[in-house]
Amino acid sequence: MAGADARLTLDGTTLDLPVEHATVGNDGLQISTLLKDTGKVTIDPGFMNTASCESRITYIDGDNGILRYRGYPIEQLASQSTFLEVSHLLIHGELPSEDVLNALNNRVRRHMHLSDNMKQFLFAFPRDAQPMSVLSGAISALATFYPESTGHDDESLELATVLLLAKAATVIASMQRRAAGGDLIEPRDGHYVSEFLRIAFSPNSGDMDVDPDFRKALDLLLILHADHEQNCSTSTVRMVGSSHANIYASIAAGIGALSGPLHGGANEAALKMFDQIKESGDTVEQFVAKVKDKSEGARLMGFGHRVYKSYDPRGAVVKQVADSILSKNGGDNQTFEMAQRLEEIALSDEYFIERKLYPNVDFYTGLLYSAMGFPSPIFTPLFALGRMPGWIAHYREMLSDPRTKIGRPRQIYLGEVERDYIPMGQR
Ligand code: ACO
């Protein structure tokens, strides 16, 4: 839908900027012809105000702490759904029937098996290799092991969807085994998330009863991470995919974006920060004072968000689950208490109130992963596993959108205007 109800006056010329209406949330001003009509570009570093596409997948209201996947509130999905069910919802737009969900679960599980070539590929990385680099390499390599799934037709995309959900789980669980000194083991029949935990933690015999509370908690964490509209990694997937690069190359690039400490790396960074506070002997109040002072460059990791200017609804769910898992399983309660104290101080401090800085999803996830037995380098790969259906859904939406064009921003050039080449001997 479009209407001509915005006007821009520039150098005496008035232009109509058609308004594109959202079903809910911010409407947008179309400025694509601005350059042609006026010779001017817009500048918006960090995309603070720029919509890069239209999307029907996820809605966020950052002021009111609302997150919905395909219209369903995150709280309802977190309490009633499963990760594969949410994956289907994000990718195909509707909740699956029981038969469809069972078929998806069976198909994904069958593909969790790694071929010998793929195992050799994984073994070629050092045992202590940075897991996000291994994951990005492994996802990119799927294009070479399954070239039949790199096309843009529905059948190829469906196969790639199943392969990505399946192989990412086995690769991440196997990295965890290898880092802990275990051998690779084969997937068996069972629930997707249970199998993931069994592959990650069982002895080399492969026999282990997965704790149902851990399975439920991980299922929930994966749901909470499953999509977050046009965040840095998802925008990267769309940008790379807009060149018609295959889905594996696009998602491998997204994994690179997610690895940064300002994005997916914040869960690990938050846990490191808790440890550093303990080691330094600082009180929580002293640490908060350092953050506010900014001179040491300290940030309260797991706090703040580009979109949420109130409590991140995912953070609220994680905090509840962390509370129940830590009290039941005797995890690191001391750190949990310190984190809660940090939150309490920050939420009542003018610095954080003024800037609308609240805990985001990553403030408590590290503590929860740690209580489940995951070492910190695996935290961000777990985020990537959760985000997989979101990346897939956005890649597929981007491909099927007739308005998609190759992503190619403009710039404001500030360099030298023109100069003559200086021969080497004269510099
Ligand atoms: N601790 C202390 N101060 C902060 C924090 C923080 N965590 N986050 C923002 N601020 C301050 C900034 O210093 C700035 O202050 P100023 O106005 O005095 O200059 C102001 O708040 C605005 O911050 P920006 O960095 O401009 O906000 P932006 O939207 O660009 O950044 C981000 C958002 C990257 C998430 C930021 O809040 C941050 O670095 N947080 C810590 C890292 C983190 O938790 N990342 C996870 C994000 S969620 C996710 O990816 C799942």
Side-chain angles (χ1 to χ4, degrees), residues 231-404:
N231 57 85
C232 178
S233 56
T234 302
S235 302
T236 302
V237 171
R238 279 184 174 262
M239 173 69 102
V240 176
S242 76
S243 75
H244 288 187
N246 70 55
I247 192 166
Y248 303 112
S250 306
I251 290 184
I255 291 170
L258 187 71
S259 69
L262 297 188
H263 190 10
N267 49 23
E268 193 179 344
L271 201 65
K272 239 184 227 158
M273 174 185 75
F274 299 144
D275 287 342
Q276 277 163 2
I277 299 173
K278 280 193 279 183
E279 279 160 24
S280 70
D282 278 351
T283 60
V284 172
E285 287 79 1
Q286 281 167 328
F287 179 74
V288 170
K290 278 185 191 166
V291 169
K292 286 161 53 180
D293 175 41
K294 292 189 176 180
S295 58
E296 290 182 31
R299 276 203 164 196
L300 190 47
M301 299 311 284
F303 249 73
H305 198 276
R306 173 61 60 79
V307 181
Y308 291 118
K309 300 302 166 199
S310 65
Y311 212 104
D312 180 338
R314 304 165 302 169
V317 179
V318 175
K319 188 178 171 187
Q320 266 176 12
V321 180
D323 198 5
S324 76
I325 291 277
L326 287 165
S327 40
K328 181 184 163 221
N329 296 286
D332 189 352
N333 274 319
Q334 208 194 345
T335 310
F336 185 47
E337 275 161 26
M338 186 179 85
Q340 286 174 291
R341 178 90 189 104
L342 257 178
E343 177 189 337
E344 198 184 317
I345 294 172
L347 291 185
S348 56
D349 189 293
E350 212 33 57
Y351 173 97
F352 296 89
I353 295 170
E354 212 172 73
R355 293 169 178 77
K356 299 190 174 167
L357 300 170
Y358 292 83
N360 59 52
V361 67
D362 283 330
F363 194 64
Y364 290 106
T365 42
L367 273 166
L368 194 45
Y369 290 142
S370 185
M372 295 167 82
F374 289 106
S376 56
I378 292 290
F379 295 173
T380 314
L382 288 170
F383 187 156
L385 183 62
R387 188 52 55 88
M388 199 55 76
W391 289 330
I392 296 167
H394 282 276
Y395 181 90
R396 294 180 67 162
E397 185 180 63
M398 177 272 309
L399 271 188
S400 65
D401 182 350
R403 289 181 67 182
T404 298

